[in-house]
Amino acid sequence: MDYTQYFENAQAAGRKTNLTADKINLVLQDLAEAALANTDTLLAENQKDLDRMDPANPNFDRLKLTPARIQDIAKDIVNVSKLENPLGHILSEKTMPNGLEISKITVPLGVVGVIYEARPNVTFDVFALCFKTGNICILKGGSDAEFSNKAIIKVIHEVLANHQIDVNVATLLPKEREAAEALMQAVGYVDVIIPRGSQGLINSVRKNSKVPVIETGAGIVHTYFDETADLEKGTNIIFNSKTRRVSVCNALDCALIHVARLTDLPKLARPLGEAGVEIFADERAFEALSGDYPVELLHKAGPEHFGTEFLSMKMAVKTVDSFEAALEHIADHSSKHSEAIVTEDTANMETFLNRVDAAAVYVNTSTAFTDGAQFGLGAEIGISTQKLHARGPMGLQELTSYKWLIKGDGQTRA
C-alpha cells in the first residue's frame, strides 16, 4: 500500500492552517467535552481491544480505558488549553553594528510522527499538545489498540470539522506494520518521529528511521534507601512508586537498600507483600526477608533481574554496602529515566541530585511524579531520555524549535 497520500495531506494541512490562540483553546475545550460525551462509545470500542488481549499481559493496563481515565484525559486537555502558547516567543534579539536587527523566535517543529503501542490515551495527548503548538501529528498506534484509536480519532475529527479545520492536522495511519515503516521513511514530509513504548519499539525506530528521532526511553527505575533514610517515608515512597500503576515507565523496578538498614527491610517491604508484589532479592536481602515476606512471592535474584523494566507486580531488591555503591549500581543499570533516593543526609541528597544521570532525579518522593501533568505541563508527548533537544516529560515547549528573523535596510556583505 502507498501511504504517500496520508503524508501529503498532513503536510498540506500544516501549510494552510493558521489559527489564533483563542481558536486553538476553544477547539481543545470542545474536544474535552466531546471526549466525556462519547465515554460510552470509547469504552465499548476499547473493550473490543481488551477482549483480544490476555489480562496477564503488562500492556493490558496500559490499553484499558475507564470512565475515570477518560475524565482525567479530558481534564488534561483542558489544562493544555489553559497553558500559555509557546509560539512566537522572542528568545533573543540584538542589533548588529551594521544595523541588522536579528531575533530568534519559537516556531512549531512541523509534522510530528508518533509511533506508539497499546496506549490509546496517547492519541488524545499527542493531538492536544501538537494542536496547541501549531504542529501537525501523524499517529501510528499499535494494532492492539486499533478500535480504541479509531474511535478517538473520530471524536477528534468531528470536533475539527465542527470548527471548519482540516481534519488532516491529525492523521491516524492504518494498523499495519507497513504504515510505521512508511512513516519512518517519510523524509520531506515528516520533520520528527517520537516513539512511545517498549525498548524494542524504540530501538527499532532509532535503527530504521530516516526521519530524525526524539527517543522516549523505557524506564528502568531505582529507589535507594540510604543509611539515614526515614523508615515511614521510605515505606510509603517505595510502595507508591511500585504499585500506583505498574505498567507505566516511571514505576519502580529496583529498590536498593544500604546494608546497615537490612533489619528494616521486612517492614519496608510489608505493604508490597500485602499487595502481591513479587520480589527478586539478592542473597543478603533474600535472607533478611525470609520468614517475613510471603514465600510464594519471594525469589532469589539473578543478574537478569537488575536492569529490567518489569511493567508488572514484580521488582528487584539489591543490597549495597555504601552510598557510592548505590550510585555505581544506578549508573550501570539505569535507563536514565527516573531515579530516587530516600535519605536524611543533606550531603547525600545534593550529591545524588548532582551525580545521577537521569531525566528526573528525586529526593524523598515517589518516581510516580515523572509525568507531564504532574510537572505542570498539562500533558506530555513522552518522557525523553536523550539529551539533544528535549529531556524528561515533553510538553509544549519541547514541541517547538526556533528560527532566526533578520531585518535590514539594504545592507550587503563585503
Side-chain angles (χ1 to χ4, degrees):
M1 180 178 176
D2 186 3
Y3 297 92
T4 304
Q5 194 64 53
Y6 289 100
F7 307 141
E8 289 179 347
N9 291 345
Q11 188 179 66
R15 288 173 175 169
K16 66 185 180 185
T17 301
N18 185 22
L19 303 174
T20 66
D22 287 343
K23 181 71 168 181
I24 288 171
N25 294 338
L26 178 60
V27 171
L28 291 175
Q29 290 161 14
D30 285 354
L31 177 60
E33 292 180 6
L36 294 174
N38 284 275
T39 294
D40 290 344
T41 299
L42 295 176
L43 292 178
E45 294 302 301
N46 180 243
Q47 189 61 49
K48 294 179 182 178
D49 291 324
L50 293 171
D51 289 342
R52 300 181 300 167
M53 182 179 285
D54 181 354
N57 188 323
N59 280 330
F60 188 86
D61 182 63
R62 291 186 172 195
L63 174 62
K64 187 175 184 178
L65 292 176
T66 66
R69 288 182 181 180
I70 293 175
Q71 289 175 6
D72 287 341
I73 288 169
K75 188 182 301 182
D76 285 345
I77 295 172
V78 171
N79 288 340
V80 170
S81 76
K82 294 179 179 179
L83 294 173
E84 181 181 3
N85 190 309
L87 299 178
H89 288 190
I90 298 174
L91 301 176
S92 67
E93 56 184 341
K94 56 188 173 182
T95 301
M96 304 302 292
N98 62 2
L100 289 179
E101 297 176 1
I102 300 177
S103 59
K104 183 168 68 170
I105 67 165
T106 54
V107 297
L109 288 174
V111 179
V112 178
V114 181
I115 301 175
Y116 53 109
E117 294 174 322
R119 294 189 69 171
N121 65 293
V122 172
T123 308
F124 275 121
D125 291 347
V126 169
F127 169 73
L129 290 166
C130 285
F131 190 69
K132 177 78 173 186
T133 52
N135 290 292
I136 306 302
C137 60
I138 300 179
L139 306 164
K140 175 57 184 77
S143 59
D144 288 339
E146 175 191 5
F147 294 105
S148 304
N149 286 333
K150 284 182 177 179
I152 292 169
I153 203 69
K154 182 180 179 183
V155 173
I156 292 172
H157 283 175
E158 287 175 351
V159 172
L160 290 171
N162 289 340
H163 286 275
Q164 291 79 51
I165 298 170
D166 189 340
V167 298
N168 291 298
V169 300
T171 297
L172 177 67
L173 295 177
K175 66 175 182 177
E176 288 75 22
R177 184 183 299 271
E178 290 76 18
E181 295 171 355
L183 181 59
M184 290 187 282
Q185 307 304 311
V187 176
Y189 295 108
V190 179
D191 294 286
V192 64
I193 288 178
I194 303 172
R196 286 193 62 170
S198 66
Q199 192 63 55
L201 170 68
I202 294 161
N203 290 343
S204 177
V205 173
R206 183 177 57 217
K207 178 181 178 181
N208 295 302
S209 180
K210 291 183 179 179
V211 177
V213 175
I214 298 177
E215 294 182 38
T216 59
I220 300 172
V221 178
H222 301 82
T223 293
Y224 168 51
F225 189 77
D226 191 26
E227 185 174 10
T228 64
D230 180 275
L231 182 57
E232 183 178 357
K233 285 183 190 176
T235 301
N236 293 333
I237 288 167
I238 288 174
F239 181 76
N240 181 257
S241 297
K242 177 67 254 182
T243 66
R244 177 192 166 271
R245 195 172 174 190
V246 296
S247 65
V248 293
C249 56
N250 57 27
L252 178 63
D253 295 297
C254 180
L256 305 173
I257 183 166
H258 192 284
V259 64
R261 301 300 299 274
L262 275 178
T263 55
D264 289 316
L265 184 55
K267 291 182 181 178
L268 195 67
R270 186 166 297 141
L272 298 171
E274 293 170 353
V277 175
E278 285 188 67
I279 286 181
F280 298 87
D282 70 351
E283 288 191 13
R284 289 184 287 183
F286 184 89
E287 183 178 343
L289 287 170
S290 293
D292 284 291
Y293 202 80
V295 63
E296 70 278 9
L297 298 177
L298 182 61
H299 316 283
K300 289 187 177 180
E304 70 276 10
H305 294 113
F306 301 110
T308 293
E309 184 182 29
F310 288 101
L311 299 174
S312 63
M313 293 286 276
K314 298 178 181 179
M315 63 178 287
V317 176
K318 171 74 173 177
T319 308
V320 293
D321 293 313
S322 65
F323 174 64
E324 284 295 327
L327 293 177
E328 289 177 11
H329 183 93
I330 291 171
D332 289 341
H333 296 90
S334 174
S335 63
K336 303 179 190 282
H337 188 291
S338 301
E339 306 292 355
I341 185 174
V342 183
T343 185
E344 297 301 308
D345 186 313
T346 303
N348 284 359
M349 292 180 191
E350 294 304 315
T351 301
F352 193 87
L353 290 171
N354 291 328
R355 286 181 52 184
V356 171
D357 184 12
V361 185
Y362 292 86
V363 170
N364 290 334
T365 190
S366 169
T367 58
F369 287 106
T370 306
D371 174 270
Q374 296 298 316
F375 281 19
L377 306 179
E380 70 187 37
I381 203 165
I383 309 290
S384 172
T385 54
Q386 65 183 43
K387 297 181 181 179
L388 293 179
H389 180 71
R391 198 177 196 198
M394 293 179 59
L396 300 179
Q397 191 62 49
E398 288 72 30
L399 285 172
T400 67
S401 182
Y402 58 81
K403 66 181 179 182
W404 295 90
L405 304 182
I406 304 95
K407 297 178 181 179
D409 189 27
Q411 292 94 327
T412 60
R413 183 174 175 180

